[in-house]
Amino acid sequence: MKNKERICLFVIVAIMIGSISWIWKSKQPIQLRIGVMAGSYWDVPESDSYSMLENVIREFEAEHPNVEVVYQSGIRPEEYEEYIAKQILMDQIPDVMFITSDMFSTLSKNHTLQKLNRFIEQDQLNTDAYYAASFDEGKNQQNVYALPYESVPRLMFVNKSLLEKENIDMPSNDWTWEDFYEICEKVTKDSNHDGQIDQFGYYGYTWEDAVYSNGAHIYEEKENQVSLGKEAVIEASAFMRELVLLHDEKVTSEMFDKGMVVFCPMNYSNYRTYMPYPWRVKKYSTFEWDCITMPKGPSGGNISQIDTLMIAMSSRSKHQDLAWEFMKKLSYDQTYQSELVKSSQGVSVLKEVMQSSDVMDVLKLDNPGKSTFEMHVLHEIMENGVAIRNTERYKQIMQAAQSRLDALMQNDEDLENALIRLERQLNSMLQK
Amino acid sequence: MNILSESKDRLNLAYWLMGLFSFLQIIYISTCIFFTTRFLLSGNQAYSFIENVSVIPIAYTKRPVYALLGFMLLLIAMKLRSLLEENIRNVLFVLILEITICLFLMWTISFASNTILLFVIANMMSMTRKKGNKGISLLIMVILFISTNYDIVSIFFPVAGFVEYLSVYSAQAKSLFALVNSVMTTSCIVLFILYMLFLIQDQLSESRRIQLLNLELKDLNEQLKEYADVREKMGETKERNRLAREIHDTLGHTLTGLSTGLEACQTIMDINPELAKIQLGVLSNVAKDGLKDVRRSVKKLRPDALENHTLKEALVSMIDEFKKTTGVKVHFVCHLTSLHFQPDEEEAIYRIIQEGTTNAVRHGKANEIYISFGMDQNTLILIVEDNGIGCVNVHEGFGLHHMKERVELLNGKVRCYGTDGFVLIVELPLREEKGND
C-alpha cells in the first residue's frame, strides 16, 4: 500500500511539473529563424537587400503576436553555402532559408529540406499560379522541397550601336537562328582594315543555349538518362558548328565590354541593374545596348534558361506550420512579389504579377526611354523558359561532355554518329 | 599467471576487457566526430563536407552524450538478463531491448563500429542456460552483427559516415585515425574469440566432471544390485534349511521310528502275534502323529495371507494390492455363496489367481482383468481373463507348468486360450467337506 501511494504521488508530481513547464514554454515567444544572404544572389550590386524581408517580417509578426522572426544579417552570397553548412553541422538549421539552385540538389538529397507536398495539399496551394519553370526548380523526383522566390531568365544582350553602324535593324522578339546567323555573318569583319578582325557576332552563346532553344532536353532526371541522339539536338549541334566557324579568333568578354561584339547572352538581372541610372554609367558606357529573347530554333521557340532563387523549410524545424506561413508570404503573396519585382533584379515567379499593368509601368519607368525591350515579353519568356538544373549529376554530365562537344564543333565528323556515341558513353557513366 | 589459471577469473577478465574496449571505441569515434566537426566549423570546408554526406549528421554536441547514455542503458539491460527468470518471453524482451539500445549506440557513432554487439553476445552466451533460447538469440545477433557493418548499412540507410568525417584531414592523419579504430575493432574481436574459447573450455570440463560422476553412480548401483542378489540367495538358503530341518525333525523322526517299529513287528510277528498287533497299533498312532506334524509343517509354509484370513479376505486384499501396484483394473465376480474350501484347495486357488493376474500384466500387457468363480455340480470353475495382447501358441513357462501340476494333484484341469486376450480356465473338483482333522 505504502509503495502504491508513493508511486501515485510521484506520478502526480511529475504530471504537475510537466504541465507547468509546458505552459511556461508555450508562453515564451516562438523564434522563427530565417537564413538569408546580404546583397543580390544574381551577382549584381544591390543597395538595400533586407528592406523587403523586413516588411514581410513586420506584417508576419503583427499577425502572429507570439512569434519573433530573426535572421543573421551580413552573410555575403559567396559565404552563404558555407554558412548554411555550418548551421547544419551545429544542428541549428534556420526554420526558413533561401536556397540557390546550386545548393538545392545537395540539401534536398540529404534531407535538410522538408518535403512540402503535405503543406501544399493542406492549403490547396494553386501551383499553376507559378511559372512552371520556376516551380519545377524546387522539385526533386515529384517531391516539392522549395517554393520559388525570384527568377532570372537568360536574355540576349544586343549592342545597338554596332547594329546601327552596320545598318542592321534590331531583331524582333520572335527572331530565329537564321536571323541570328545572318547578322553574325554580316558584322564579322575587319572594320578598320588593319588585317585583324575587330567586329564579332556573338560571345558566350553555348551549345546548351542552342539545344534548349530548339526544344530539346539534354538529361532526363527521372530516367537518369542522357538523350543526345534526337533530331533537335543534332540540329542544334549543326547550327553551333556553323556559328563556331564564323570566328577564327577567340572572343572574350572584354571584347563585348569594349563594344566589339553584337550579341551576348546574359541574365535579366544584369539588364535590370545596368539599364537604369546610376549603374548605367558604370558599365557598357561606350555603346547603346538592349535585350531581346534568345533566338528560336527550327523545332523549338524563343526559349530561355531560367535560374530561380527558392525558399525552403528545415526538416528539423519545430515550427513548420509557422515556417510554411512565412514562406507563403514571401513566395505566394502578390503584394510582396510585386514589391520584389520593383525593387529587386529578378522576375516574380507568379504569372499574375508579371502580367499586372501596375508592375509593368514601374519597370518601364525605371528604364531611360531608349530601351525598346518590352516588359510584357518577360511573361512569355517565363512561360516558355526551362529551369536550369545545377544538380551535381547535371554538372558531371556537362563536364564529361564538354571537351568532346568542343572538338565536335571544330571538326567535320558526322554529328549524328558522334552524338549517339557520346550519349552511350555518358549513359554508361551514369549507370555506374 | 595466477589469474589466468582460475577459469572463472580469466572468463571475467576477457569479458570486461571486451566491454571496456567496445566502450572506448564508441567514445573514441564520437569524440573524433566531435572534434572534426569543430574543425569544420572553424574552417571553410563545411559545405564540401555536407555535399559529400548523404544525410544531415546528428548534432555533434549530442553524440558523446548519447554514447554515454546508451552504454549505461545497455549495461542495465544486460544486468536485467541475469535478474529475470529465463522464459521465452523474458528472453525475447531483453533481446529486443538490447538490440534497440545497440542500434541506437551504433547510430550515434555512424555505424563506424559494431563491436558492442560482440559484448552483448558474450553476455548472452554465459547468461542463457536453455539451448533453444541460446540458439535463436545467437542466430539473431550474428545476423545483426553481419548486417550492421558500415558498408552494408550505408547501402540501405543514409549515414554520415566516419570515413567522410576523416576525409577532411590529410592522408596521413586520416590513416592514423582509421588505424586506431581498426586496432580497437580487432582487439575486441580477439577478446571475443578468447572469451568464447574460455567459455567452451569451461563447459567441456564441466561436462567431463558430470560424466565421471555418472560413471561412479553406475558402479554404486551395480554394487547395490549384487548385494540385493546376495540377500535373496541368503533368504532362499535360509528357507531351504528351515524346510530341511522341518522334514528332518518331523518326517525323519516319525519315519525312523516307524521303520524301526515295523522291523521289530516283522521279527515278533511269528513269535507273538498279539504283541505285534499292539505294536502295530502303536505304530499307526505314531504315523498319525507324524502326519499331523507334516500337516502342521505344511501349514507353516502356506501363504501368509491365508494363514490368518479367509480365502475371500486374502483374495480381496491381494487384488487391492495388485491394483495399487500395477494400476490395472481388476473385476472380481463371485457366483458362490461362500468361499470356504480345504486348505490345500484354497492355497491352489490363491496361487492360481496370483499367477494368472501376474501373467496378464507381465506377458499380456493387459490393463483390465476379469476374475470369476463359478460352480458346476461339485466342480469349482475359475476363470481369469484379460484384454492384453494374448498369444497364439501358449508357451508353457515355469509359472503355468507349476500351476498345472498343482491343479492335477487335486484332480483338476487347466485350459488356456490366447487368441483374444488371454483366458485361463481352471476346473477343480471339490472334495467332500470332512471334519477338521
Side-chain angles (χ1 to χ4, degrees), chain B residues 238-261:
Chain B
K238 223 168 148 190
E239 189 63 24
R240 235 180 249 156
N241 284 344
R242 193 169 75 94
L243 260 174
R245 206 168 48 238
E246 200 73 39
I247 290 167
H248 177 264
D249 285 0
T250 51
L251 267 183
H253 175 76
T254 314
L255 286 178
T256 316
L258 276 178
S259 83
T260 326

Side-chain angles (χ1 to χ4, degrees), chain A residues 236-305:
Chain A
S237 305
F239 174 62
M240 270 316 282
R241 190 179 258 181
E242 280 176 50
L243 273 183
V244 169
L245 277 179
L246 279 178
H247 295 161
D248 291 335
E249 272 181 75
K250 186 135 181 71
V251 185
T252 62
S253 66
E254 286 97 62
M255 290 177 176
F256 181 80
D257 293 351
K258 280 182 195 159
M260 294 158 73
V261 184
V262 181
F263 296 113
C264 175
M266 273 190 212
N267 280 344
Y268 168 78
S269 51
N270 281 311
Y271 173 81
R272 268 292 278 157
T273 312
Y274 299 118
M275 189 53 92
Y277 192 78
W279 297 103
R280 185 176 179 75
V281 201
K282 295 245 170 129
K283 218 171 182 185
Y284 315 133
S285 50
T286 54
F287 57 92
E288 288 290 324
W289 57 275
D290 212 333
C291 277
I292 49 169
T293 56
M294 300 295 275
K296 172 164 80 175
S299 36
N302 299 96
I303 296 168
S304 295
Q305 295 180 59

Side-chain angles (χ1 to χ4, degrees), chain B residues 287-414:
Chain B
K288 268 179 192 162
D289 281 349
L291 198 61
K292 256 185 208 162
D293 272 352
V294 169
R295 281 234 172 91
R296 207 187 59 241
S297 297
V298 167
K299 211 174 185 180
K300 271 188 197 162
L301 294 173
R302 285 182 77 184
D304 292 344
L306 283 173
E307 189 92 347
N308 304 315
H309 304 283
T310 63
L311 176 65
K312 192 160 189 176
E313 281 167 352
L315 281 178
V316 167
S317 85
M318 177 187 69
I319 288 166
D320 271 353
E321 200 148 306
F322 186 75
K323 274 193 218 168
K324 261 184 231 157
T325 49
T326 57
V328 173
K329 270 189 200 162
V330 181
H331 306 276
F332 180 49
V333 185
C334 180
H335 303 291
L336 304 180
T337 42
S338 84
L339 275 177
H340 194 71
F341 311 107
Q342 295 295 322
D344 49 355
E345 286 163 355
E346 281 186 1
E347 198 187 328
I349 292 166
Y350 185 85
R351 291 289 183 215
I352 287 164
I353 289 174
Q354 200 174 32
E355 185 68 28
T357 49
T358 311
N359 280 350
V361 174
R362 191 192 293 162
H363 303 301
K365 313 270 182 272
N367 54 22
E368 234 170 306
I369 300 172
Y370 300 87
I371 300 168
S372 48
F373 280 88
M375 190 73 104
D376 181 24
Q377 285 166 353
N378 216 16
T379 307
L380 176 74
I381 296 171
L382 181 59
I383 303 172
V384 179
E385 209 175 337
D386 67 56
N387 68 343
I389 50 172
C391 55
V392 182
N393 296 314
V394 180
H395 180 76
E396 223 166 79
F398 180 76
L400 204 57
H401 182 74
H402 199 75
M403 193 192 293
K404 269 190 178 162
E405 268 182 3
R406 208 186 267 276
V407 173
E408 270 160 18
L409 271 177
L410 295 168
N411 294 321
K413 266 195 282 176
V414 175

